[in-house]
């Protein structure tokens, strides 16, 4: 099957600044794909290159097998939902939605008919004659969606489409976008800096930082098997312990403690061990099960918070504070500040990632 | 607005007097002008009963009518050209980067800063030196060119402000929606900056109709505009004919302003 979008060795420079640094990426047909990263990581520039609003400095960009590297945006079978929507303020909702069709030479009546269908799809029937300025943020978002989708794009690009909405509306729109995508079967490529949003909505996620593509995978892959420190830190919550590789089954933590940790790295490599708060067990000092001694550390509880569905401990381990999350237990079994404790974890649950 | 305070007591009285004085200052001369344009006395400012003779004389007077017609022709021609060039300049400065952009930016506004007299001398010298080369005789061409020269700056200032306030991504959105560059300009940019273009055009029209200094320098024999003609009449001796001419010019300006307000109003209610 031909990939919806195929990016090979794409680099984008703005003068001296490298916005996107030699990335390879394949987005499948019918996929909900997120590009995730902090602001300035190059995710929006990548999206704009797919849209044709920027041209790559180097590399190849194909949409359904056709090279589109330097084609202008109006010659590409993709449409964009812009950040803050960029609706035409001087046109009615109907004219906004039918704009793409009219530009392609569709007759006015046919364009209006199809615009009407899309307006119905996004549940804005009755507001056709309004101007964007007379609509709420959520309604504007729907117009932007309809305006892009009316052209039946092969790929829909969305640039932080939910960024301007308040939390409740955002969650509502997340579900709507997801079901809309399933219904239409079109690839959605979605740019966001909100990891929760990316995890909730996407089939696959590309994590970017400083112009580089760090990892592409499902939410589960990124969470369970991060390829490097940045991904481990950016996706979900984690405790990162700096360490050096001793051999393929042992790492040395910053304070000299040796920990069993199977890893593929060569001895001497600087690494970080990522311990998810919910993957750590906690008990009184010395309660470590015999088979977990090599993957345990001693510490002192510095704080305990009861969150209803879980207990969160802050544990001071010599040189670092770790967060540990457990199921709630009866109050007499809880540990309190000042208690000497041990923490341990399964060997399968440790993640040793390159420190980059 | 929440910050509005209703004045009371002495401040209220003083404010009322102030506004009264301001209005008097503005409008008393205009009212006097209008009244005395109907005065049946050869001396300006001496009331001699009601008459429409001066308007009749204005309508009958061949030189006055010719000057008026000249003014209109020059104003329309120079406005059209300067609106097109000024808008293009504004677009170039706001939307594109090119070599020498900053210099162009600074030079474009020079005519606004230069005193009228300097500009007039410059234009006169320019036409005198190049008369042979360009084949221009002083008259319609020289006046129109001079008016274009200073109007472009004003038009581009007004249009630029409007473009600067416009979201650039609207053009990107248009092109993403299959509009060519031209279509994006025609259906998105142009309608959105139209109020600026109309405003700039109106300014150019008014400036052209008003100008005395520059026009006087570059006008040729037998080619004069209405303001320059009026200025000439004053030197020959003032008659209420000047009042009548002035009233006509005043009404024309007011009509223009009203028209522009009306057009913008229609546009905004249309787009609101």
């Amino acid at each position: 099957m031909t990939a919806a979008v195929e990016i090979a060795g794409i680099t984008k420079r703005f003068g001296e600044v490298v916005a996107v640094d030699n990335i390879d990426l394949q987005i499948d047909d019918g996929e909900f794909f997120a590009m995730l990263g902090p602001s300035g990581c190059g995710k929006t520039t990548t999206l704009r290159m797919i849209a044709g609003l920027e041209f790559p400095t180097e590399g190849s960009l194909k949409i359904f097998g056709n090279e589109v590297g330097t084609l202008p945006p109006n010659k590409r079978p993709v449409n964009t939902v812009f950040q803050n929507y960029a609706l035409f303020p001087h046109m009615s909702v109907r004219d906004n939605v039918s704009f793409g069709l009219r530009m392609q030479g569709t007759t006015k009546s046919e364009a209006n008919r199809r615009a009407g269908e899309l307006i119905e799809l996004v549940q804005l029937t009755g507001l056709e004659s309004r101007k964007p300025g007379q609509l709420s943020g959520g309604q504007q978002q729907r117009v932007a969606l309809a305006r892009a989708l009316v052209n039946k794009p092969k790929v829909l690009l969305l640039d932080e489409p939910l960024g301007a909405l308040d939390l409740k509306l955002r969650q509502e729109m997340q579900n709507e976008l997801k079901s809309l995508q399933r219904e239409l079967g079109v690839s959605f490529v979605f740019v966001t800096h909100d990891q929760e949003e990316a995890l909730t909505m996407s089939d696959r996620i590309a994590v970017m930082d400083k112009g580089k593509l760090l990892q592409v995978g499902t939410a589960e892959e990124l969470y369970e098997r991060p390829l490097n420190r940045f991904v481990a830190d950016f996706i979900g919550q984690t405790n990162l312990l700096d360490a050096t590789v001793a051999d393929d089954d042992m790492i040395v933590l910053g304070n000299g403690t040796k920990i069993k940790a199977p890893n593929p790295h060569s001895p001497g490599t600087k690494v970080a061990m990522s311990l998810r708060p919910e993957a750590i067990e906690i008990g009184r000092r010395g309660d470590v099960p015999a088979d977990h001694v090599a993957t345990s550390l001693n510490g002192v509880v510095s704080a305990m918070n009861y969150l209803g569905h879980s207990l969160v401990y802050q544990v001071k381990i010599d040189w670092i504070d770790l967060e540990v999350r457990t199921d709630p237990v009866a109050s007499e079994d809880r540990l309190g500040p000042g208690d000497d404790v041990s923490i341990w974890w399964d060997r399968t649950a440790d993640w040793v990632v390159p420190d980059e | 607005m929440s910050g509005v305070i209703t004045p009371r007591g002495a401040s209220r009285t003083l404010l009322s007097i102030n506004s009264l004085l301001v209005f008097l200052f503005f409008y008393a001369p205009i009212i006097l002008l209008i009244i005395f344009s109907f005065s049946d006395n050869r001396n300006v400012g001496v009331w001699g009963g009601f008459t429409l003779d001066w308007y009749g004389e204005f309508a009958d007077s061949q030189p006055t009518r010719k000057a008026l017609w000249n003014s209109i022709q020059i104003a329309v021609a120079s406005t059209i050209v300067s609106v097109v060039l000024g808008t293009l300049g504004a677009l170039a400065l706001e939307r594109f980067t090119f070599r020498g952009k900053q210099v162009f930016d600074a030079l474009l506004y020079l005519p606004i800063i230069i005193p009228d007299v300097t500009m007039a001398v410059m234009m006169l010298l320019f036409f005198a030196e190049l008369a042979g080369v360009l084949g221009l005789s002083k008259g319609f061409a020289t006046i129109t060119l001079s008016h274009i020269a200073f109007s472009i700056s004003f038009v581009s200032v007004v249009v630029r402000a409007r473009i600067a306030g416009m979201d650039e991504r609207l053009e990107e959105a248009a092109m993403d929606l299959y509009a060519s560059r031209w279509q994006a300009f025609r259906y998105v940019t142009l309608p959105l900056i139209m109020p600026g273009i109309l405003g700039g055009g109106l300014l150019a029209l008014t400036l052209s109709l008003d100008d005395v200094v520059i026009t006087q320098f570059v006008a040729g024999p037998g080619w004069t505009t209405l303001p320059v003609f009026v200025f000439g009449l004053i030197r020959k001796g003032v008659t209420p004919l000047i009042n009548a001419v002035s009233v006509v010019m005043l009404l024309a300006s007011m009509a223009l302003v009203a028209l522009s307000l009306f057009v913008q109003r229609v546009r905004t209610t249309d787009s609101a």
Side-chain angles (χ1 to χ4, degrees), chain A residues 238-252:
Chain A
T238 196
N239 299 294
L240 285 166
L241 287 80
D242 294 316
T244 312
V245 172
D247 58 45
D248 61 0
D249 200 31
M250 186 79 77
I251 59 170
V252 184

Side-chain angles (χ1 to χ4, degrees), chain A residues 10-14 19-20 42 44-57 61 68-73 76, chain B residues 168 172:
Chain A
I10 286 270
T11 296
K12 175 66 185 179
R13 286 189 210 96
F14 294 105
V20 173
T44 297
T45 306
T46 308
L47 192 83
R48 288 171 60 84
M49 284 194 283
I50 302 173
L53 298 169
E54 306 283 354
F55 293 147
T57 317
L61 202 162
V68 295
T70 53
L71 275 186
R76 298 181 184 214
Chain B
E168 224 173 308
E172 292 188 341

Side-chain angles (χ1 to χ4, degrees), chain A residues 236-273:
Chain A
Q237 252 189 319
T238 196
N239 299 294
L240 285 166
L241 287 80
D242 294 316
T244 312
V245 172
D247 58 45
D248 61 0
D249 200 31
M250 186 79 77
I251 59 170
V252 184
L253 296 185
N255 69 341
T257 315
K258 287 187 175 167
I259 295 283
K260 277 265 189 203
N263 70 82
H265 308 294
S266 55
T269 312
K270 291 257 179 247
V271 291
M273 185 166 66

Side-chain angles (χ1 to χ4, degrees), chain B residues 7-263:
Chain B
R8 281 190 210 113
S11 57
R12 189 190 174 104
T13 320
L14 286 170
L15 271 175
S16 306
I17 293 172
N18 177 46
S19 18
L20 205 71
L21 285 175
V22 168
F23 276 108
L24 205 66
F25 191 68
F26 277 170
Y27 295 108
I30 296 180
I31 292 166
L32 277 178
L33 175 79
I34 295 173
I35 292 174
F36 281 100
S37 71
F38 296 106
S39 166
D40 194 7
N41 190 313
R42 280 207 70 82
N43 295 314
V44 178
V46 181
W47 184 251
F50 181 84
T51 178
L52 286 174
D53 284 358
W54 302 116
Y55 289 94
E57 194 177 326
F58 178 32
D60 290 341
S61 148
Q62 196 59 37
T64 325
R65 270 165 50 195
K66 184 161 189 308
L68 175 65
W69 178 232
N70 287 349
S71 265
I72 292 170
Q73 280 176 289
I74 288 164
V76 170
S78 70
T79 298
I80 291 171
V81 177
S82 58
V83 161
V84 172
L85 293 180
T87 304
L88 291 178
L91 281 166
L93 286 170
E94 284 296 318
R95 283 289 183 267
F96 299 98
T97 48
F98 51 90
R99 192 183 263 279
K101 177 173 167 172
Q102 285 185 340
V103 178
F104 180 59
D105 195 356
L107 289 179
L108 186 60
Y109 298 130
L110 215 53
I112 298 179
I113 307 161
I114 298 179
D116 269 8
V117 172
T118 316
M119 182 95 182
V121 174
M122 274 162 39
M123 296 311 292
L124 179 64
L125 189 67
F126 178 77
F127 290 126
E129 286 295 314
L130 294 181
V133 187
L134 296 173
L136 295 175
S137 56
K138 281 167 110 192
F140 176 77
T142 51
I143 300 172
T144 307
L145 282 174
S146 309
H147 287 195
I148 291 169
F150 65 75
S151 294
I152 286 176
S153 309
F154 289 92
V155 172
S156 69
V157 169
V158 177
V159 175
R160 245 185 116 174
R162 187 77 197 178
I163 299 175
M166 188 191 142
D167 188 351
E168 224 173 308
R169 281 175 323 160
L170 293 176
E171 287 162 20
E172 292 188 341
M175 285 193 275
D176 184 64
L177 295 164
Y178 308 107
S180 61
R181 255 186 183 285
W182 165 250
Q183 285 173 316
F185 176 74
R186 167 71 186 78
Y187 296 110
V188 176
T189 316
L190 192 61
L192 288 173
I193 64 172
M194 198 39 102
I197 295 177
L198 288 178
L202 202 73
L203 196 59
L205 205 61
T206 319
L207 285 170
S208 171
L209 285 174
D210 279 357
D211 184 71
V212 176
V213 180
I214 296 170
T215 310
Q216 206 161 30
F217 273 70
V218 297
W223 246 98
T224 181
T225 61
L226 196 56
V228 175
F229 180 72
V230 170
F231 195 66
L233 281 185
I234 291 173
R235 277 185 299 185
K236 285 183 208 150
V238 187
T239 68
L241 174 61
I242 293 173
N243 295 352
V245 173
S246 306
V247 169
V248 169
M249 284 172 73
L250 180 75
L251 289 177
S253 323
M254 280 166 64
L256 277 177
V257 173
L259 181 73
S260 85
L261 288 177
F262 176 73
V263 168

Side-chain angles (χ1 to χ4, degrees), chain A residues 48 51 53 73-74 76-80 82-84 86-91 96 99-100 103-104 131 134 147-148 151, chain B residues 167 169-181 183-184 186-192 267-272:
Chain A
R48 288 171 60 84
L53 298 169
N74 53 333
R76 298 181 184 214
V78 300
N79 292 108
T80 310
F82 287 82
Q83 194 172 10
N84 301 323
L87 298 177
F88 305 128
H90 58 299
M91 293 183 200
N96 262 285
F99 187 85
M103 289 303 111
Q104 291 176 91
K131 295 278 158 67
Q134 299 168 296
R147 184 178 72 168
N151 306 293
Chain B
D167 188 351
R169 281 175 323 160
L170 293 176
E171 287 162 20
E172 292 188 341
M175 285 193 275
D176 184 64
L177 295 164
Y178 308 107
S180 61
R181 255 186 183 285
Q183 285 173 316
R186 167 71 186 78
Y187 296 110
V188 176
T189 316
L190 192 61
L192 288 173
R267 290 196 69 86
T268 45
T269 43
D270 182 49
S271 66

Side-chain angles (χ1 to χ4, degrees), chain A residues 152-209:
Chain A
K152 302 203 168 102
K154 291 186 169 172
V155 181
L156 182 72
L157 309 172
L158 304 106
D159 186 8
E160 303 257 5
L162 308 178
L165 304 179
D166 60 49
L167 187 66
K168 196 161 158 23
L169 199 56
R170 199 184 318 167
Q171 285 166 345
E172 220 175 282
M173 284 306 293
Q174 283 178 5
N175 294 330
E176 266 183 56
L177 272 180
K178 184 74 198 159
S179 61
L180 196 63
Q181 189 265 338
R182 243 180 263 134
E183 198 177 314
L184 299 170
V186 175
S187 316
F188 278 28
V189 182
F190 176 87
V191 157
T192 181
H193 63 269
D194 182 339
Q195 52 118 347
E196 210 173 297
E197 201 164 277
L199 294 178
T200 318
M201 302 171 72
S202 329
D203 297 321
R204 285 196 309 150
I205 301 163
V207 182
M208 294 185 70
D209 185 42

